[in-house]
Amino acid sequence: TYTGYYQGVYQPSAEEGAKTGEIIIEGGNYYGTGKDGTGIALKQGNCLIKKGYFKGTVGGAAGWDYSKSLSISGGKFYAKTVAGVYTSGCDNLYITNGYFKGSESSGIASYYTKYVNISNGEFVGYNNGIYMHDGTTATISGGKFSGYLSGLAIRNSTITITEGTFTGDTVDALSLYKSTGEIKGGVFTGKLHGGYNNNGSFTITGGKFRGNVEDGFYNENGTLYIDGGN
Protein backbone atom coordinates (compact mmCIF):
# COMPACT_ATOMS: atom_id res chain seq x y z
CA THR A 1 0.00 0.00 0.00
CA TYR A 2 1.27 3.46 -1.00
CA THR A 3 -0.23 6.41 0.87
CA GLY A 4 0.67 10.09 0.71
CA TYR A 5 -0.91 13.43 1.56
CA TYR A 6 -0.44 14.48 -2.08
CA GLN A 7 0.12 11.22 -3.98
CA GLY A 8 0.60 7.58 -3.22
CA VAL A 9 3.12 7.48 -6.12
CA TYR A 10 4.49 10.56 -7.94
CA GLN A 11 6.62 10.95 -11.06
CA PRO A 12 7.87 14.60 -11.15
CA SER A 13 8.61 16.85 -14.10
CA ALA A 14 11.98 17.82 -15.53
CA GLU A 15 11.63 21.21 -13.86
CA GLU A 16 11.65 19.36 -10.56
CA GLY A 17 14.95 17.69 -11.42
CA ALA A 18 13.69 14.38 -12.80
CA LYS A 19 14.65 12.62 -16.01
CA THR A 20 12.09 10.86 -18.19
CA GLY A 21 10.60 7.99 -16.23
CA GLU A 22 8.33 5.02 -16.71
CA ILE A 23 6.02 3.32 -14.23
CA ILE A 24 4.40 -0.10 -14.68
CA ILE A 25 1.79 -1.12 -12.10
CA GLU A 26 0.47 -4.67 -11.87
CA GLY A 27 -1.36 -4.40 -8.55
CA GLY A 28 -1.48 -2.75 -5.12
CA ASN A 29 -3.35 0.04 -3.36
CA TYR A 30 -2.61 3.75 -3.86
CA TYR A 31 -4.04 6.65 -1.85
CA GLY A 32 -3.73 10.43 -1.89
CA THR A 33 -5.43 11.58 1.29
CA GLY A 34 -4.97 15.38 1.34
CA LYS A 35 -6.97 18.25 -0.12
CA ASP A 36 -5.37 17.76 -3.54
CA GLY A 37 -4.62 14.07 -3.13
CA THR A 38 -4.21 11.63 -6.03
CA GLY A 39 -3.54 7.91 -5.89
CA ILE A 40 -0.86 8.17 -8.59
CA ALA A 41 0.26 11.15 -10.66
CA LEU A 42 2.85 11.76 -13.35
CA LYS A 43 4.14 15.03 -14.82
CA GLN A 44 6.37 13.47 -17.46
CA GLY A 45 7.17 10.07 -18.97
CA ASN A 46 4.82 7.11 -19.25
CA CYS A 47 2.67 5.00 -16.97
CA LEU A 48 1.05 1.62 -17.63
CA ILE A 49 -1.56 0.42 -15.14
CA LYS A 50 -2.71 -3.19 -15.44
CA LYS A 51 -4.62 -3.47 -12.19
CA GLY A 52 -4.82 -2.03 -8.68
CA TYR A 53 -6.94 0.20 -6.45
CA PHE A 54 -6.48 3.97 -6.74
CA LYS A 55 -8.23 6.57 -4.62
CA GLY A 56 -7.67 10.28 -4.11
CA THR A 57 -9.50 13.44 -3.17
CA VAL A 58 -9.15 14.93 -6.67
CA GLY A 59 -8.21 11.84 -8.70
CA GLY A 60 -7.47 8.15 -8.54
CA ALA A 61 -4.82 8.60 -11.26
CA ALA A 62 -3.64 11.69 -13.14
CA GLY A 63 -1.41 12.64 -16.07
CA TRP A 64 -0.33 16.30 -16.04
CA ASP A 65 1.84 18.78 -17.92
CA TYR A 66 4.51 16.94 -19.94
CA SER A 67 3.38 13.36 -19.34
CA LYS A 68 3.53 11.37 -22.57
CA SER A 69 1.17 8.49 -22.00
CA LEU A 70 -1.17 7.10 -19.35
CA SER A 71 -2.35 3.60 -20.35
CA ILE A 72 -4.89 1.66 -18.30
CA SER A 73 -5.97 -1.93 -18.95
CA GLY A 74 -7.60 -2.62 -15.57
CA GLY A 75 -8.05 -1.45 -12.00
CA LYS A 76 -10.48 0.59 -9.92
CA PHE A 77 -10.20 4.38 -9.73
CA TYR A 78 -12.10 6.57 -7.29
CA ALA A 79 -12.13 10.30 -6.62
CA LYS A 80 -14.27 12.97 -5.06
CA THR A 81 -13.82 16.41 -6.61
CA VAL A 82 -12.37 16.00 -10.14
CA ALA A 83 -12.42 12.48 -11.64
CA GLY A 84 -11.48 8.85 -11.13
CA VAL A 85 -8.80 9.51 -13.77
CA TYR A 86 -7.99 12.94 -15.11
CA THR A 87 -5.51 14.34 -17.57
CA SER A 88 -4.43 17.91 -18.22
CA GLY A 89 -1.74 18.58 -20.79
CA CYS A 90 -1.04 14.85 -21.14
CA ASP A 91 -0.29 13.65 -24.68
CA ASN A 92 -2.18 10.35 -24.65
CA LEU A 93 -4.73 8.53 -22.51
CA TYR A 94 -5.49 4.91 -23.45
CA ILE A 95 -8.14 2.87 -21.62
CA THR A 96 -9.00 -0.72 -22.52
CA ASN A 97 -10.77 -1.66 -19.27
CA GLY A 98 -11.31 -0.67 -15.64
CA TYR A 99 -13.82 0.94 -13.30
CA PHE A 100 -13.80 4.73 -12.86
CA LYS A 101 -15.96 6.74 -10.46
CA GLY A 102 -16.17 10.38 -9.38
CA SER A 103 -18.49 10.63 -6.38
CA GLU A 104 -18.96 14.41 -6.77
CA SER A 105 -17.53 14.79 -10.27
CA SER A 106 -16.81 12.58 -13.33
CA GLY A 107 -15.53 9.07 -13.97
CA ILE A 108 -12.96 10.49 -16.43
CA ALA A 109 -12.02 14.13 -17.08
CA SER A 110 -9.62 15.21 -19.85
CA TYR A 111 -8.43 18.77 -20.42
CA TYR A 112 -6.01 19.83 -23.17
CA THR A 113 -5.27 16.15 -23.87
CA LYS A 114 -4.01 15.47 -27.40
CA TYR A 115 -5.57 12.03 -27.79
CA VAL A 116 -7.94 9.84 -25.77
CA ASN A 117 -8.80 6.28 -26.84
CA ILE A 118 -11.35 4.23 -24.87
CA SER A 119 -12.38 0.73 -25.95
CA ASN A 120 -13.98 -0.65 -22.76
CA GLY A 121 -14.60 -0.01 -19.08
CA GLU A 122 -17.28 1.42 -16.80
CA PHE A 123 -17.37 5.15 -16.10
CA VAL A 124 -19.65 6.58 -13.42
CA GLY A 125 -19.90 10.19 -12.33
CA TYR A 126 -22.11 12.35 -10.19
CA ASN A 127 -21.88 14.91 -13.00
CA ASN A 128 -20.75 12.98 -16.09
CA GLY A 129 -19.51 9.50 -16.83
CA ILE A 130 -16.79 11.18 -18.90
CA TYR A 131 -16.00 14.87 -19.46
CA MET A 132 -13.69 16.27 -22.14
CA HIS A 133 -12.70 19.92 -22.46
CA ASP A 134 -10.61 22.30 -24.57
CA GLY A 135 -8.75 20.72 -27.45
CA THR A 136 -9.09 17.05 -26.62
CA THR A 137 -9.40 14.56 -29.50
CA ALA A 138 -11.05 11.26 -28.59
CA THR A 139 -12.17 7.92 -29.99
CA ILE A 140 -14.64 5.74 -28.09
CA SER A 141 -15.28 2.21 -29.36
CA GLY A 142 -16.92 0.64 -26.31
CA GLY A 143 -17.70 0.96 -22.62
CA LYS A 144 -20.51 1.95 -20.28
CA PHE A 145 -20.87 5.64 -19.38
CA SER A 146 -23.38 7.00 -16.89
CA GLY A 147 -23.80 10.25 -15.01
CA TYR A 148 -26.37 12.03 -12.90
CA LEU A 149 -26.28 14.75 -15.59
CA SER A 150 -24.80 13.12 -18.73
CA GLY A 151 -23.08 9.94 -19.78
CA LEU A 152 -20.63 11.95 -21.92
CA ALA A 153 -20.12 15.72 -22.02
CA ILE A 154 -17.58 17.44 -24.29
CA ARG A 155 -16.67 21.10 -24.87
CA ASN A 156 -14.43 22.54 -27.59
CA SER A 157 -13.17 19.10 -28.58
CA THR A 158 -13.40 16.44 -31.30
CA ILE A 159 -14.79 12.93 -30.84
CA THR A 160 -15.60 9.79 -32.82
CA ILE A 161 -17.96 7.23 -31.26
CA THR A 162 -18.44 3.76 -32.77
CA GLU A 163 -19.91 1.81 -29.81
CA GLY A 164 -20.81 2.17 -26.14
CA THR A 165 -23.76 2.65 -23.81
CA PHE A 166 -24.38 6.21 -22.58
CA THR A 167 -26.92 7.20 -19.92
CA GLY A 168 -27.85 10.59 -18.50
CA ASP A 169 -30.06 10.18 -15.44
CA THR A 170 -31.46 13.73 -15.30
CA VAL A 171 -30.42 15.53 -18.53
CA ASP A 172 -28.77 14.14 -21.70
CA ALA A 173 -26.94 10.92 -22.53
CA LEU A 174 -24.63 12.85 -24.88
CA SER A 175 -23.96 16.57 -24.37
CA LEU A 176 -21.96 18.34 -27.11
CA TYR A 177 -20.89 21.99 -26.90
CA LYS A 178 -18.85 23.78 -29.58
CA SER A 179 -17.38 20.45 -30.64
CA THR A 180 -17.06 18.35 -33.79
CA GLY A 181 -17.01 14.68 -34.71
CA GLU A 182 -18.86 11.62 -35.91
CA ILE A 183 -21.23 9.17 -34.26
CA LYS A 184 -21.21 5.78 -35.95
CA GLY A 185 -22.87 3.67 -33.26
CA GLY A 186 -23.79 3.34 -29.61
CA VAL A 187 -26.90 3.51 -27.45
CA PHE A 188 -27.75 6.92 -25.95
CA THR A 189 -30.53 7.22 -23.37
CA GLY A 190 -31.18 10.44 -21.45
CA LYS A 191 -34.02 11.74 -19.36
CA LEU A 192 -34.40 14.81 -21.59
CA HIS A 193 -32.48 13.93 -24.76
CA GLY A 194 -30.49 11.03 -26.13
CA GLY A 195 -28.16 13.58 -27.72
CA TYR A 196 -27.82 17.37 -27.43
CA ASN A 197 -25.72 19.49 -29.79
CA ASN A 198 -25.08 23.17 -29.03
CA ASN A 199 -23.02 25.16 -31.54
CA GLY A 200 -21.21 22.07 -32.82
CA SER A 201 -20.96 20.13 -36.07
CA PHE A 202 -21.54 16.36 -36.13
CA THR A 203 -22.14 13.56 -38.62
CA ILE A 204 -24.40 10.72 -37.50
CA THR A 205 -24.25 7.44 -39.42
CA GLY A 206 -25.44 5.07 -36.69
CA GLY A 207 -26.59 4.72 -33.10
CA LYS A 208 -29.83 4.67 -31.11
CA PHE A 209 -30.98 7.89 -29.40
CA ARG A 210 -33.74 8.02 -26.79
CA GLY A 211 -35.05 10.94 -24.75
CA ASN A 212 -37.40 9.63 -22.09
CA VAL A 213 -39.43 12.83 -21.68
CA GLU A 214 -38.38 15.02 -24.65
CA ASP A 215 -36.32 14.31 -27.81
CA GLY A 216 -34.10 11.60 -29.23
CA PHE A 217 -31.67 14.25 -30.43
CA TYR A 218 -31.89 18.00 -29.82
CA ASN A 219 -29.91 20.32 -32.10
CA GLU A 220 -29.50 23.91 -30.87
CA ASN A 221 -27.56 26.34 -33.08
CA GLY A 222 -25.50 23.44 -34.40
CA THR A 223 -25.05 21.45 -37.61
CA LEU A 224 -26.05 17.82 -37.99
CA TYR A 225 -25.44 15.60 -41.00
CA ILE A 226 -27.63 12.52 -40.54
CA ASP A 227 -27.18 9.43 -42.71
CA GLY A 228 -28.22 6.64 -40.33
CA GLY A 229 -29.14 5.89 -36.74
CA ASN A 230 -32.56 5.74 -35.14
Side-chain angles (χ1 to χ4, degrees):
T1 298
Y2 300 81
T3 303
Y5 181 83
Y6 292 113
Q7 291 94 20
V9 172
Y10 179 55
Q11 184 160 285
S13 66
E15 283 81 356
E16 295 169 283
K19 296 181 179 180
T20 301
E22 182 174 14
I23 299 173
I24 300 174
I25 295 177
E26 297 183 339
N29 301 307
Y30 306 82
Y31 301 93
T33 60
K35 179 182 177 181
D36 299 317
T38 305
I40 180 171
L42 61 152
K43 283 193 172 182
Q44 53 84 25
N46 304 290
C47 181
L48 170 61
I49 299 173
K50 297 181 179 180
K51 62 180 180 180
Y53 183 94
F54 305 83
K55 186 175 183 180
T57 307
V58 299
W64 299 322
D65 298 344
Y66 307 106
S67 52
K68 294 295 183 182
S69 177
L70 176 58
S71 301
I72 299 170
S73 59
K76 295 182 177 180
F77 303 82
Y78 298 90
K80 184 178 181 181
T81 60
V82 179
V85 169
Y86 79 96
T87 56
S88 179
C90 178
D91 283 352
N92 301 289
L93 172 63
Y94 301 101
I95 297 175
T96 57
N97 215 336
Y99 181 83
F100 309 84
K101 183 174 183 180
S103 62
E104 295 180 3
S105 50
S106 301
I108 294 284
S110 291
Y111 308 84
Y112 311 102
T113 302
K114 291 182 180 178
Y115 184 62
V116 176
N117 188 302
I118 298 172
S119 59
N120 202 1
E122 184 171 359
F123 308 82
V124 180
Y126 179 80
N127 293 329
N128 310 293
I130 182 167
Y131 178 66
M132 297 179 185
H133 194 285
D134 287 348
T136 295
T137 298
T139 299
I140 297 177
S141 57
K144 183 178 180 181
F145 308 83
S146 61
Y148 180 73
L149 299 178
S150 301
L152 168 63
I154 69 171
R155 296 173 61 91
N156 301 302
S157 297
T158 299
I159 191 165
T160 299
I161 300 172
T162 58
E163 282 295 339
T165 302
F166 304 81
T167 305
D169 293 339
T170 62
V171 189
D172 310 311
L174 179 64
S175 178
L176 313 168
Y177 179 73
K178 290 186 176 180
S179 297
T180 62
E182 184 173 2
I183 302 169
K184 301 178 180 180
V187 178
F188 306 86
T189 306
K191 183 173 182 179
L192 298 183
H193 313 107
Y196 172 78
N197 178 35
N198 185 352
N199 284 284
S201 179
F202 277 82
T203 298
I204 300 175
T205 57
K208 295 182 179 180
F209 302 88
R210 299 289 182 269
N212 289 331
V213 299
E214 292 194 17
D215 312 300
F217 204 107
Y218 187 88
N219 186 49
E220 180 178 0
N221 299 320
T223 301
L224 288 181
Y225 302 92
I226 299 176
D227 188 24
N230 57 72

